[in-house]
Amino acid sequence: MKDGLHVAIILDGNGRWAKRRGLPRNAGHRAGMEAIKKTVLASCELGIKILSLFAFSTENWKRSQKEIDGIFGILRDYLDENIEVYKEKGINLRIMGDLSKLPEDISKKLISAQEETASCDKLIVNVGINYGGRDELVRAFNLLLKEGKSIVSAEDIKKKLYTHDLPDPDLVIRTSGEQRLSNFMLFQCAYSELYFPKILWPDFNKKALKKALSVYKKRDRRFGNVTEEKK
Ligand code: IPE
Ligand code: IPE
Ligand code: MG
């Protein structure tokens, strides 16, 4: 299970997708939810083992209350409509982020969805909600301090991340053409391959995912070493 490909996606461009159509931003988020459904199923079909999705960042609270309420309403609908599908397809839903700031009914749904799908092992869908890479690292250091540690190793830190039992992402895709991480999986992405397609998130689909995988396959991952023929 842990040896498969880990693809992480910073899903960006919902607002621009809506703007181009003269629609409100939340129509873009609703269309983005459809793209999530398609991408989760395509990931199963393509044999990806872990799909991390950045859905709501610790910085996204800066947006208008109307947009935030819209996003959480869409998330509520997504959970209601998809947990049975996850169980049928053998998909384990996992959440990374601080759930304590979310509407209570949603944090409860997320916790029970994680429990209900815990034994599923075809694909892990790991969703960042109220997630920030810095927030995760601060949390990890504070957990270590609480344990009485005064000096820590990278291994100690890894053990306290939300993703402590997952391998690092092999490939990070950010849609919409923006080329930044925006506080996503900062510790885990140290050696991930990065890919920035122009496609806006609501237009993302199996074809776009296959293209990303074909780009990834051509990359030469060296991890600080040199390639064999140069040795
Ligand atoms: C990504 O789309 C979804 C979230 C960050 C919640 P955006 O809402 O950031 O879309 P743009 O960047 O405004 O187009
Ligand atoms: C990153 O997208 C966060 C998510 C995809 C959840 P943003 O649209 O919030 O990032 P910035 O503000 O453009 O960096
Ligand atoms: Mg954006």
Side-chain angles (χ1 to χ4, degrees):
M1 180 74 206
K2 283 180 186 166
D3 297 329
L5 205 64
H6 183 173
V7 176
I9 309 183
I10 302 170
L11 33 100
D12 200 12
N14 292 354
R16 278 162 282 172
W17 184 93
K19 195 172 177 203
R20 282 181 198 173
R21 287 164 178 74
L23 297 169
R25 293 184 60 82
N26 281 331
H29 296 312
R30 181 70 61 187
M33 179 178 92
E34 295 302 320
I36 290 178
K37 285 191 209 165
K38 282 186 207 162
T39 305
V40 167
L41 294 182
S43 298
C44 273
E45 288 161 19
L46 295 170
I48 289 168
K49 282 297 169 193
I50 304 166
L51 177 70
S52 287
L53 297 172
F54 199 11
F56 193 87
S57 76
T58 46
E59 287 73 36
N60 286 146
W61 297 106
K62 292 175 190 164
R63 297 186 181 201
S64 73
Q65 197 56 47
K66 187 173 164 213
E67 180 167 352
I68 293 169
D69 291 346
I71 289 171
F72 284 111
I74 289 163
L75 175 60
R76 190 179 279 119
D77 292 347
Y78 180 80
L79 292 169
D80 289 343
E81 289 166 21
N82 288 281
I83 295 313
E84 285 309 312
V85 179
Y86 272 52
K87 285 197 245 172
E88 273 163 35
K89 302 264 177 202
I91 305 169
N92 174 16
L93 179 73
R94 294 187 34 163
I95 306 298
M96 50 179 188
D98 177 6
L99 296 186
S100 68
K101 296 201 179 61
L102 268 47
E104 206 187 330
D105 71 303
I106 293 186
S107 58
K108 278 190 183 149
K109 277 184 207 286
L110 287 170
I111 290 163
S112 72
Q114 290 188 89
E115 286 167 1
E116 281 176 52
T117 62
S119 62
C120 298
D121 64 359
K122 185 161 166 61
L123 169 71
I124 294 173
V125 174
N126 173 47
V127 187
I129 301 177
N130 190 23
Y131 170 83
R134 287 184 177 175
D135 206 55
E136 180 183 40
L137 285 168
V138 170
R139 173 179 174 272
F141 292 145
N142 280 322
L143 289 170
L144 291 164
L145 286 173
K146 239 190 224 162
E147 283 180 3
K149 286 231 163 43
S150 56
I151 187 160
V152 298
S153 66
E155 267 313 301
D156 291 330
I157 297 165
K158 184 175 162 44
K159 280 185 197 143
K160 300 299 180 195
L161 300 179
Y162 293 114
T163 55
H164 58 92
D165 54 347
L166 301 180
D168 291 339
D170 297 293
L171 169 66
V172 176
I173 303 168
R174 182 177 185 144
T175 55
S176 87
E178 307 294 346
Q179 301 191 8
R180 55 180 173 270
L181 290 176
S182 299
N183 203 9
F184 185 58
M185 299 183 91
L186 298 179
F187 188 90
Q188 298 92 327
C189 289
Y191 265 101
S192 305
E193 295 297 323
L194 308 178
Y195 174 56
F196 302 107
K198 289 242 163 28
I199 191 169
L200 300 176
W201 176 251
D203 295 324
F204 200 83
N205 53 23
K206 187 175 180 181
K207 189 175 163 219
L209 183 59
K210 279 170 99 170
K211 165 87 182 135
L213 294 178
S214 75
V215 169
Y216 170 77
K217 278 196 197 111
K218 293 190 194 104
R219 299 278 177 93
D220 179 17
R221 303 189 75 188
R222 293 192 285 273
F223 300 98
N225 204 338
V226 288
T227 40
E228 276 308 310
E229 63 270 24
K230 288 179 195 149
K231 269 188 186 172

